[in-house]
């Protein structure tokens, strides 16, 4: 009992509220589904959405209380931590989950897979993401990744009679299991070298660990595991097939939520456990390796997207390229001084927020057109959409231009802040990477505009009957308004991101 009392503190309950709400909400949705046989399950979607809104509210409450506790509250004997970095990301992930849930109901009903467990799986996956962003130990990083991943594997194959969906789930599961092997083996080697799995304790021993082959191999394995999760080249092969075969709302959730949670864990892991002056840069440093991966990921993602006629595959390769842009922020945080590190982390958090709303919105329009047996996934299927459904065409154009980094939208400022932070690194170390990123941004405009041209400048080839529905309309409206607002008034969101960054890397 003494050991349990030392591990669990009643005073920590308030800071565990986001996880508790998501898990309890998932359980209640499952129980509600058991009693909803033969009835419309839309109310389960609204219950799940209300849970994500309550989670955002609890994160705001925690944010306001952190100053009284020095800005950081360890939970479960330091296995998790509540700080403004994790709280900011809890709000981002909850918002992404809420938009996904609103997209899902009409789409799932159209495809005759409107099962209540889908909504509970979204909540359980989000709970895993929250554990991941709050993790301050390698063990809880593993638990968060697996909780998130198992739920998403099942959601990917939720259209049970579709061979494409089953194939996507199988590919995602097999590559995810492979990445888990990398992760567990890497954790074991780091633990063998450091004698601890606590991130702060590993950081304290960083100088003595840098020359140990055991530690270096473990570090490389962890890089490989996370590159699988964010679909960075050369660990990206699963993404296009999984994104194409999964139900479109699930694809939105994978592209936005999974990527945001994985990048949050990478920021905490590499800037805490593997930070300092010894490990980030050099012949075997992680920043050198991630810088090369970032350049290759951006280039391969954009060049592959140029040749795609399938809209979901095009957006999948686009998502791969955005992983490269985000890695630029992580690398800049690794090699820069205090001010650059703070700017790089805050700009990466801003980018994750903008990317979440933009990506969910883009896939949301694809879901909105997704009739059963007529999902209109090819670029030619979008011909003349502006003439028949001008608001849908405008929304899709907005999201695509934001992904391409066109001003004055959220995506432009996301890229601008990251590139500026990378340019401020000492000795212009990352100028080459910023040049590659800028050139790739120009290339990406071509395939985004290709869809815009089809919608506005080509005649419709057949009738379009979108899904409609209040929930999906609300989701797209909120995403579009947020993308515009973040572009017109980016300062307030960057201020929030800067406060979150300060709890991770300190004041600039």
């Amino acid at each position: 009992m003494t050991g349990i009392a030392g591990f669990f503190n009643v005073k920590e309950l308030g800071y565990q509220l986001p996880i508790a709400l998501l898990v309890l909400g998932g359980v209640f949705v499952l129980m509600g589904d058991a009693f909803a046989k033969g009835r419309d399950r839309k109310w389960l979607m609204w219950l799940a959405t209300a849970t994500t809104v309550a989670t955002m509210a609890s994160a705001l409450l925690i944010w306001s209380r952190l100053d009284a506790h020095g800005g950081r509250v360890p939970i479960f004997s330091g296995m998790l931590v509540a700080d403004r970095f994790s709280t900011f990301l809890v709000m981002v992930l909850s918002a992404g989950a809420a938009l996904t849930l609103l997209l899902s109901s009409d789409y799932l009903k159209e495809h005759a897979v409107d099962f209540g467990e889908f909504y509970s799986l979204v909540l359980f996956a989000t709970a895993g993401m929250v554990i991941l962003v709050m993790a301050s130990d390698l063990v809880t990083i593993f638990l968060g990744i697996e909780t998130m991943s198992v739920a998403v594997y099942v959601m990917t194959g939720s259209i049970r009679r579709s061979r494409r969906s089953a194939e996507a789930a199988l590919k995602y599961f097999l590559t995810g299991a492979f990445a888990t092997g990398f992760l567990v083996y890497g954790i074991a080697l780091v633990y063998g070298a450091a004698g601890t799995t606590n991130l702060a304790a590993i950081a304290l021993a960083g100088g003595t660990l840098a020359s140990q082959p055991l530690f270096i191999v473990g570090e490389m394995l962890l890089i490989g595991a996370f590159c699988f999760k964010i679909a960075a080249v050369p660990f990206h092969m699963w993404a296009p097939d999984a994104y194409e075969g999964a139900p479109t709302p699930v694809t939105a959730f994978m592209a936005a939520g999974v990527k945001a949670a994985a990048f949050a864990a990478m920021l905490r892991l590499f800037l805490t456990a593997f930070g300092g002056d010894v490990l980030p840069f050099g012949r075997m440093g992680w920043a050198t390796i991630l810088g090369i991966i970032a350049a290759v990921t951006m280039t391969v993602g954009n060049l592959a997207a140029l040749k795609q006629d399938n809209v979901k595959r095009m957006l999948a390769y686009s998502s791969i390229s955005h992983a490269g842009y985000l890695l630029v922020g992580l690398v800049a945080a690794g090699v820069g001084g205090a001010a650059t590190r703070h700017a790089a982390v805050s700009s990466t958090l801003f980018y994750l927020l903008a990317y979440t709303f933009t990506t969910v919105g883009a896939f949301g329009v694809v879901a909105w057109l997704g009739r059963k047996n007529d999902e209109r996934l090819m670029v030619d299927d979008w011909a003349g959409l502006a003439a028949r459904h001008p608001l849908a065409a405008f929304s899709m154009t907005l999201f695509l231009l934001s992904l391409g980094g066109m001003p004055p939208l959220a995506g432009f400022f996301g890229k601008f802040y990251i590139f500026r932070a990378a340019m401020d690194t000492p000795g212009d170390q990352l100028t080459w990477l910023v040049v590659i990123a800028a050139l790739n941004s120009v290339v990406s405009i071509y395939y985004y505009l290709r869809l815009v041209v089809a919608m506005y400048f080509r005649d419709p080839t057949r009738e379009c009957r979108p899904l409609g529905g209040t929930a999906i309309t609300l989701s797209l409206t909120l995403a579009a308004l947020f993308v515009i607002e973040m572009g017109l008034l980016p300062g307030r969101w960057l201020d929030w991101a800067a406060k979150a960054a300060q709890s991770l890397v300190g004041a600039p």
Side-chain angles (χ1 to χ4, degrees):
M1 292 296 292
T2 304
I4 294 175
F7 185 72
F8 179 77
N9 189 335
V10 176
K11 295 180 181 179
E12 299 172 359
L13 280 174
Y15 297 97
Q16 301 167 22
L17 196 55
I19 300 172
L21 284 171
L22 290 166
V23 173
L24 290 174
V27 171
F28 281 128
V29 169
L30 275 179
M31 293 176 63
D33 182 50
F35 295 99
K37 301 299 182 183
R39 290 158 49 188
D40 189 358
R41 291 176 171 82
K42 183 165 282 192
W43 69 276
L44 295 175
M45 180 274 292
W46 289 112
L47 175 61
T49 305
T51 301
T52 59
V53 173
T55 304
M56 279 188 274
S58 70
L60 279 171
L61 179 63
I62 291 171
W63 181 285
S64 65
R65 293 178 57 188
L66 282 170
D67 282 339
H69 299 275
R72 179 184 176 88
V73 178
I75 304 172
F76 294 125
S77 296
M79 299 293 284
L80 300 175
V81 62
D83 56 13
R84 283 188 169 159
F85 176 80
S86 61
T87 305
F88 179 90
L89 285 155
V90 169
M91 289 187 274
V92 173
L93 295 170
S94 300
L99 293 176
T100 300
L101 288 163
L102 290 171
L103 289 176
S104 300
S105 180
D106 294 305
Y107 182 92
L108 296 177
K109 191 172 182 179
E110 170 68 20
H111 290 261
V113 288
D114 187 23
F115 304 114
E117 64 262 26
F118 178 90
Y119 308 115
S120 64
L121 285 169
V122 173
L123 295 180
F124 291 143
T126 308
M129 295 175 188
V130 172
I131 293 171
L132 188 55
V133 303
M134 296 177 70
S136 57
D137 192 284
L138 292 173
V139 173
T140 40
I141 286 177
F142 169 75
L143 292 175
I145 285 179
E146 289 308 295
T147 303
M148 169 187 74
S149 298
V150 170
V152 178
Y153 297 153
V154 179
M155 291 162 60
T156 302
S158 54
I159 303 182
R160 302 169 187 176
R161 292 180 296 275
S162 169
R163 295 181 64 182
R164 267 194 327 175
S165 183
E167 179 185 354
L170 182 61
K171 287 182 177 179
Y172 192 19
F173 170 73
L174 291 176
T175 54
F178 194 60
T180 298
F182 274 46
L183 180 67
V184 173
Y185 198 21
I187 290 172
L189 294 180
V190 170
Y191 174 72
T196 179
T197 55
N198 182 271
L199 302 187
I202 294 171
L204 290 175
T208 61
L209 296 173
S211 59
Q212 294 190 31
L214 194 68
F215 180 80
I216 293 173
V217 174
E219 186 184 27
M220 297 304 108
L221 288 171
L222 290 174
I223 289 174
F226 277 103
C227 285
F228 267 108
K229 292 301 177 185
I230 64 174
V233 178
F235 307 100
H236 68 294
M237 297 299 187
W238 60 272
D241 290 337
Y243 281 31
E244 181 186 6
T248 306
V250 177
T251 307
F253 190 59
M254 291 162 59
V258 173
K259 196 179 295 291
F263 263 104
M266 290 180 76
L267 285 168
R268 194 183 293 277
L269 172 64
F270 288 101
L271 298 180
T272 301
F274 303 152
D277 297 327
V278 179
L279 291 174
F281 202 75
R283 188 169 60 87
M284 291 297 293
W286 59 260
T288 307
I289 295 169
L290 288 180
I292 296 169
I293 291 175
V296 176
T297 298
M298 289 182 286
T299 305
V300 171
N302 282 314
L303 292 180
L306 289 173
K307 301 190 294 182
Q308 301 304 315
D309 292 320
N310 184 293
V311 175
K312 286 176 74 173
R313 291 185 73 88
M314 182 194 77
L315 290 174
Y317 281 109
S318 166
S319 177
I320 291 169
S321 70
H322 281 275
Y325 301 132
L326 284 160
L327 283 173
V328 174
L330 176 56
V331 173
V335 304
T340 302
R341 186 179 302 116
H342 181 270
V345 174
S346 58
S347 61
T348 302
L349 293 177
F350 181 94
Y351 197 113
L352 286 173
L353 178 62
Y355 176 78
T356 296
F357 280 87
T358 305
T359 300
V360 173
F363 280 109
V365 179
V366 179
W368 183 75
L369 294 175
R371 287 283 179 182
K372 186 178 182 181
N373 301 323
D374 184 26
E375 290 203 63
R376 307 178 74 91
L377 295 180
M378 308 306 289
V379 172
D380 292 341
D381 296 334
W382 292 64
L385 182 66
R388 303 288 177 87
H389 301 283
L391 288 178
F394 172 77
S395 297
M396 191 62 171
T397 302
L398 193 73
F399 298 132
L400 292 173
L401 294 180
S402 181
L403 287 172
M406 296 292 288
L409 300 172
F412 168 77
F413 286 101
K415 289 182 179 179
F416 172 76
Y417 290 139
I418 280 184
F419 295 171
R420 185 178 66 179
M423 288 295 293
D424 288 340
T425 52
D428 298 327
Q429 297 177 76
L430 299 183
T431 300
W432 65 276
L433 190 56
V434 175
V435 170
I436 292 174
L439 291 174
N440 272 283
S441 294
V442 174
V443 170
S444 70
I445 296 297
Y446 172 81
Y447 59 82
Y448 292 132
L449 288 182
R450 183 183 173 202
L451 193 58
V452 175
V453 169
M455 291 189 292
Y456 281 93
F457 299 103
R458 291 173 56 184
D459 295 328
T461 55
R462 53 198 173 106
E463 185 60 38
C464 176
R465 296 184 304 111
L467 296 178
T470 303
I472 195 168
T473 302
L474 176 61
S475 179
L476 293 176
T477 302
L478 289 173
L481 290 175
F482 203 89
V483 167
I484 295 172
E485 201 275 343
M486 279 191 74
L488 295 177
L489 299 169
R492 73 174 76 179
W493 301 106
L494 188 63
D495 288 342
W496 274 52
K499 292 177 181 177
Q502 187 171 334
S503 68
L504 181 67
V505 296

